[in-house]
């Protein structure tokens, strides 16, 4: 396994691990690149002062740790900027708060609450359809704004709607919106994340899944990164090896990561054969 560029610590409202413990585990796992990307949500999240304090602490602790440790793993600091269009002035302010290595953009809502809190057993099919349509429109809006390096988990609602509540979703309905989304990020050079969290959750698949990754590839998308979205140490880098293999099968030849918000790439050859540090 090579990289894991989406992780959380106790500086996220839903995280619990101390930063040094997370970084030490990244090294123990043999990762070549690791990024801590605590939540910086512009909707339904913490108040701005808490956000400023938590993000500053998250970044500063990574910088402090890497200044005092020698390691073969590149330890990167970043944020997961959630639903940026909900508060663009604050989003801009947070982007300037620290010199991040990487900024992940993500959408967690259809404009209401996070899908995490939704009760999808109590919604009619048409309501779910309307919510997912809004979700993809919001991702398009966020991608057009585009002040981030990576677009995270583009099928996030399915983790809950399909995984946790077992509702049937016809993804064909959203393919025109997803194609538009792909075209925007390809044109802007924003990297698509393969989020492996679904492999350890009820949905049992990567976010996005193989079919959508093939669709992205077929439209010319070649920029791809990997994130476990771990909020606890035991699931860091979960499912990375098989996801790398899936990417190789689709035709991807390298994975992307960022330092000082500049893109770097690692060849997607088998990590078992590749012992060279970055
Ligand atoms: Zn997220
Ligand atoms: Zn996350």
């Amino acid at each position: 396994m090579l990289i894991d560029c989406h992780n959380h610590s106790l500086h996220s409202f839903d995280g619990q691990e101390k930063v040094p413990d997370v970084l030490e585990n990244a090294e123990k796992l043999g990762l070549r690149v690791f990024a801590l990307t605590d939540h910086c949500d512009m909707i339904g999240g913490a108040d701005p002062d808490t956000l400023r304090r938590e993000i500053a602490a998250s970044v500063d602790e990574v910088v402090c740790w890497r200044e005092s440790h020698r390691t073969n793993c590149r330890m990167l600091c970043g944020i997961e900027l959630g639903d940026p269009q909900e508060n663009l002035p604050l989003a801009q302010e947070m982007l300037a708060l620290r010199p991040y290595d990487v900024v992940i953009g993500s959408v967690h809502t259809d404009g209401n609450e996070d899908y995490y809190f939704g009760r999808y057993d109590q919604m009619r099919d048409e309501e779910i359809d309307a919510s997912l349509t809004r979700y993809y429109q919001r991702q398009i809006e966020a991608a057009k704004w585009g002040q981030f390096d990576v677009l995270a988990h583009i099928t996030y609602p399915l983790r809950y709607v399909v995984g946790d509540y077992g509702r049937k979703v016809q993804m064909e309905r959203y393919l025109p919106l997803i194609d538009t989304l792909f075209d925007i990020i390809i044109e802007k050079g924003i990297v698509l994340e393969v989020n492996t969290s679904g492999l350890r959750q009820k949905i049992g698949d990567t976010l996005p899944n193989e079919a959508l990754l093939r669709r992205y590839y077929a439209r010319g998308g070649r920029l791809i990164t990997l994130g476990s979205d771990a909020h606890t140490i035991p699931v860091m880098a979960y499912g990375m090896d098989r996801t790398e293999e899936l990417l190789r099968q689709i035709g991807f030849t390298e994975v992307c990561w960022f330092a000082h918000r500049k893109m770097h790439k690692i060849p997607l050859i088998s990590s078992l054969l590749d012992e060279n540090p970055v």
Side-chain angles (χ1 to χ4, degrees):
M1 92 187 122
L2 299 165
I3 68 173
D4 185 350
C5 292
H6 183 158
N7 287 274
H8 298 272
S9 74
L10 50 68
H11 296 298
S12 290
F13 68 93
D14 54 355
Q16 48 189 289
E17 307 285 7
K18 294 188 186 113
V19 173
D21 295 346
V22 169
L23 302 185
E24 270 150 39
N25 193 55
E27 186 177 23
K28 214 181 295 171
L29 287 167
L31 285 165
R32 292 175 60 190
V33 180
F34 173 85
L36 185 65
T37 53
D38 277 311
H39 283 299
C40 187
D41 282 323
M42 296 296 110
I43 186 171
D47 74 276
D49 279 338
T50 308
L51 220 49
R52 290 181 194 106
R53 194 176 59 242
E54 295 297 339
I55 294 301
S58 170
V59 169
D60 294 349
E61 286 176 32
V62 172
V63 172
C64 178
W65 192 93
R66 71 186 177 197
E67 279 170 359
S68 56
H69 290 77
R70 285 171 62 86
T71 165
N72 286 331
C73 178
R74 287 290 295 256
M75 300 296 186
L76 307 173
C77 57
I79 48 172
E80 178 181 3
L81 186 59
D83 295 72
Q85 64 271 43
E86 285 299 318
N87 190 341
L88 287 177
L90 182 61
Q92 296 286 6
E93 184 203 319
M94 294 307 294
L95 283 173
L97 184 76
R98 285 292 186 274
Y100 308 110
D101 287 309
V102 60
V103 175
I104 296 176
S106 65
V107 178
H108 293 126
T109 80
D110 65 359
N112 298 301
E113 61 186 0
D114 193 310
Y115 282 92
Y116 177 82
F117 299 109
R119 287 296 308 268
Y120 300 102
D121 51 342
Q122 296 172 359
M123 281 171 76
R124 288 178 290 118
D125 287 344
E126 308 82 73
E127 290 173 313
I128 289 176
D129 178 42
S131 170
L132 291 174
T133 301
R134 280 201 303 279
Y135 180 79
Y136 282 104
Q137 287 164 345
R138 284 171 67 80
Q139 285 203 99
I140 288 169
E141 221 181 291
K144 280 184 181 163
W145 177 69
Q147 304 289 306
F148 44 82
D149 309 308
V150 173
L151 181 63
H153 53 55
I154 65 161
T155 51
Y156 178 77
L158 305 186
R159 202 195 256 178
Y160 306 101
V161 177
V162 177
D164 290 351
Y165 285 92
R167 298 296 294 258
K168 295 257 182 302
V169 168
Q170 289 180 307
M171 283 309 281
E172 300 77 49
R173 299 176 81 94
Y174 315 106
L175 290 178
L177 288 169
I178 292 172
D179 285 346
T180 302
L181 181 64
F182 283 158
D183 291 346
I184 294 168
I185 63 170
I186 290 167
E187 204 241 307
K188 283 182 175 281
I190 294 171
V191 174
L192 180 70
E193 177 195 81
V194 189
N195 189 297
T196 63
S197 65
L199 293 173
R200 58 184 159 80
Q201 294 170 332
K202 279 194 194 149
I203 189 167
D205 210 344
T206 54
L207 311 171
N209 66 7
E210 178 178 349
L212 286 181
L213 289 169
R214 289 189 182 280
R215 199 169 179 95
Y216 170 70
Y217 189 90
R219 290 187 88 79
R222 295 293 182 273
L223 301 179
I224 204 104
T225 191
L226 293 157
S228 68
D229 211 348
H231 289 64
T232 60
I233 282 174
V235 299
M236 282 169 62
Y238 186 89
M240 285 300 165
D241 285 336
R242 62 177 139 146
T243 306
E244 283 173 19
E245 184 52 38
L246 170 67
L247 292 178
R248 280 191 285 269
Q249 281 170 15
I250 293 171
F252 293 100
T253 56
E254 47 198 13
V255 286
C256 305
W257 57 282
F258 288 81
H260 309 296
R261 304 207 58 190
K262 188 173 167 294
M263 193 189 298
H264 299 264
K265 293 171 182 172
I266 300 181
L268 252 180
I269 51 176
S270 171
S271 51
L272 292 173
L273 302 172
D274 183 13
E275 296 289 303
N276 299 322
V278 175

